[in-house]
Amino acid sequence: MRREWEMASDRIAAVVERVRREGWCAVRGVIPPTEVAVVYRAVMEVAEREWEQHSVNGRLGIGGLIAKTQAMVPYVLDERLLGTAEALFGPKVRISMTHGIVTDPGYERTNWHGDWPFSLGNPYQIPAPYAADQPVKITTLWALTPFNATTGGTLIVPGSHTAGNNPGGDIGYDIFEPVASEMQPELEPGDVLVIDSRTWHTNGTNRSDGQRVGMAVRYAAWWYNVHQITPGLAEFERMAAETGDRASDVVPISREIYDALPEKAKPLFRHIVIGQRVLPDTVAEPAWG
Ligand SMILES: O=C(O)CCC(=O)C(=O)O
């Protein structure tokens, strides 16, 4: 009889294989049907507070969601998500961004893009053509209401993670032009779409009469630098002073929020705990050079 850990490792391998080969995979039931309403309500409470000030033309992106609600935390530890990130990036992965996403009825599809650092046009980027076929980040898109052709579920271009570029770069491909091979995977509330962050994607048009509500949680390699998107850190503050922009994709979390996280979740978020101190040297010689 196969042991539980062998079955778990098969479940992870199936997602890894799809993401490596096709750039995407739908993972079912990450939030069980009986629990999804709690996460939905938690995200909507934040959305209601932020809508007036931050929504743009019928879309709200809630930056730094983890600082505002921790309702999703037990589920980001799902073996198929965390296991996939660890299989691709090694055991010391972290979560680089958490967003809430709300789109109104009528909100139209937008631009094809890869996610940062493949969102070309940003000064902090991996320039195209990306030379190596090394995934550095996965974007997981979580349905809290149905994602499909009517509600404007995420559109993807399968296989585009190996294109070495995306329409945000200078490849003569209009960022709004439909692609013949595009797909719109159907997700039920609680399902998660995992994509290699290089995979071309965008939201679909919401043709339904209700809001589409979801989350984006990005898992990154341990070496992936998030200093320039973390308010309070020198690189972020220097760029903010130069450009006047204070991006809100990451919001640092307090020590209290951090301490209350499940032990297994702490390593995923400890890089954004506020009030970290730089300690004096504890070793005589540099050990990492
Ligand atoms: O709203 C969606 O389905 C897509 C979101 C997206 O493109 C992103 O978070 O990068």
Side-chain angles (χ1 to χ4, degrees):
M1 202 172 79
R2 289 169 60 70
R3 298 196 189 90
E4 173 49 30
W5 67 264
E6 287 174 312
M7 292 190 293
S9 118
D10 285 354
R11 287 192 287 271
I12 296 166
V15 181
V16 171
E17 162 74 5
R18 287 285 305 274
V19 172
R20 275 198 188 281
R21 202 163 27 128
E22 294 170 41
W24 72 282
C25 183
V27 178
R28 305 292 170 191
V30 174
I31 310 177
T34 51
E35 296 168 30
V36 75
V38 175
V39 182
Y40 168 84
R41 268 199 304 275
V43 172
M44 287 308 289
E45 271 171 30
V46 181
E48 278 151 24
R49 285 201 297 274
E50 298 201 356
W51 186 269
E52 199 170 317
Q53 200 181 349
H54 294 299
S55 66
V56 180
N57 300 331
R59 178 184 190 276
L60 177 68
I62 304 170
L65 187 63
I66 176 72
K68 301 166 185 173
T69 170
Q70 295 78 51
M72 80 303 251
V73 168
Y75 312 105
V76 305
L77 301 172
D78 183 282
E79 69 181 18
R80 293 162 296 174
L81 304 184
L82 192 52
T84 295
E86 289 176 346
L88 294 171
F89 311 136
K92 299 288 185 190
V93 296
R94 51 193 178 178
I95 288 183
S96 61
M97 290 182 192
T98 51
H99 284 93
I101 301 169
V102 183
T103 57
D104 264 352
Y107 185 75
E108 296 199 354
R109 71 183 276 168
T110 54
N111 57 305
W112 289 123
H113 60 280
D115 280 346
W116 181 69
F118 303 103
S119 46
L120 306 169
N122 182 316
Y124 292 92
Q125 58 166 268
I126 297 181
Y130 334 128
D133 188 19
Q134 172 57 48
V136 302
K137 195 165 85 166
I138 52 175
T139 299
T140 64
L141 294 151
W142 299 54
L144 297 178
T145 57
F147 277 29
N148 54 44
T150 308
T151 64
T154 311
L155 288 155
I156 56 170
V157 180
S160 56
H161 60 307
T162 58
N165 209 330
N166 69 68
D170 189 14
I171 51 172
Y173 205 103
D174 191 277
I175 51 176
F176 297 109
E177 191 173 323
V179 174
S181 58
E182 71 188 35
M183 284 185 59
Q184 201 165 24
E186 292 205 0
L187 305 181
E188 289 302 319
D191 292 347
V192 175
L193 174 65
V194 180
I195 58 172
D196 182 309
S197 297
R198 296 170 296 176
T199 302
W200 303 8
H201 64 285
T202 186
N203 63 284
T205 298
N206 185 348
R207 298 188 170 84
S208 75
D209 54 10
Q211 288 181 317
R212 182 186 66 118
V213 182
M215 299 186 293
V217 177
R218 295 174 172 87
Y219 298 74
W222 57 267
W223 47 265
Y224 180 80
N225 180 3
V226 290
H227 293 179
Q228 57 290 14
I229 54 168
T230 308
L233 295 186
E235 278 183 70
F236 177 96
E237 296 301 334
R238 197 174 308 119
M239 188 170 63
E242 280 165 17
T243 63
D245 288 340
R246 297 189 65 82
S248 61
D249 297 284
V250 173
V251 175
I253 57 173
S254 65
R255 172 59 62 177
E256 291 69 36
I257 290 178
Y258 177 76
D259 286 344
L261 294 176
E263 283 310 310
K264 213 175 156 203
K266 287 182 175 169
L268 301 174
F269 293 108
R270 65 178 155 224
H271 60 288
I272 55 165
V273 180
I274 56 174
Q276 299 186 36
R277 284 184 306 133
V278 178
L279 299 173
D281 282 351
T282 52
V283 285
E285 293 293 325
W288 289 73

